Amino acid sequence: QVQLVESGGGLVQPGDSLRLSCVVSGETFTSVPMGWFRQAPGKEREFVGGNNWSGGSVYYAESIKGRFTISRDSAKSTMYLQMDSLKPEDTAIYYCALEPTLTSRSLTSASDYRYWGQGTQVTVSS
């Protein structure tokens, strides 16, 4: 069975930083695509960034403009989302996701992923 456990969300002020974590169990961590998504109240779940681990390349949504960074620690089976220079429009529930199918294609749609974490709230307010 596959399980994703997220942590690291919270309430911060504009310009602050947060690092979200996603711990994976029940799957080969380095062999399948993973991604981060976010969903604001009343809006669709949108892509933030992802990595299919096939060549080490990470792909991001244009909206974050280089402020976020995805990394991983294979020994801990953990994927991270480092968020810097946070803005009020970054306020959302953040989810990590996993698709247990090998592919070299960039997966940027929520429908591309089979397994999801429970989400963690990020609130950016002055």
Side-chain angles (χ1 to χ4, degrees):
Q1 64 187 57
V2 177
Q3 183 176 1
L4 309 178
V5 180
E6 301 158 322
S7 62
L11 173 63
V12 297
Q13 296 184 346
D16 285 353
S17 297
L18 282 174
R19 189 177 75 164
L20 307 184
S21 300
C22 176
V23 180
V24 179
S25 62
E27 182 56 85
T28 305
F29 178 77
T30 60
S31 300
V32 297
M34 294 183 64
W36 286 99
F37 290 78
R38 65 186 183 184
Q39 187 167 20
K43 298 185 178 180
E44 294 184 353
R45 192 168 299 184
E46 66 176 357
F47 173 75
V48 175
N51 196 329
N52 58 22
W53 317 123
S54 63
S57 61
V58 181
Y59 40 95
Y60 301 96
E62 294 182 0
S63 60
I64 67 172
K65 300 184 182 301
R67 296 178 296 115
F68 296 180
T69 304
I70 290 175
S71 62
R72 62 173 176 170
D73 186 334
S74 296
K76 298 180 179 180
S77 296
T78 301
M79 178 177 65
Y80 302 98
L81 179 65
Q82 176 67 43
M83 303 184 293
D84 298 319
S85 302
L86 283 163
K87 303 176 180 180
E89 52 262 43
D90 296 319
T91 296
I93 300 176
Y94 283 72
Y95 300 88
C96 64
L98 182 150
E99 168 55 36
T101 302
L102 296 177
T103 180
S104 60
R105 184 173 64 88
S106 298
L107 305 183
T108 59
S109 174
S111 63
D112 290 328
Y113 295 87
R114 182 182 301 274
Y115 298 106
W116 294 83
Q118 77 284 354
T120 183
Q121 177 70 48
V122 173
T123 302
V124 185
S125 177
S126 61

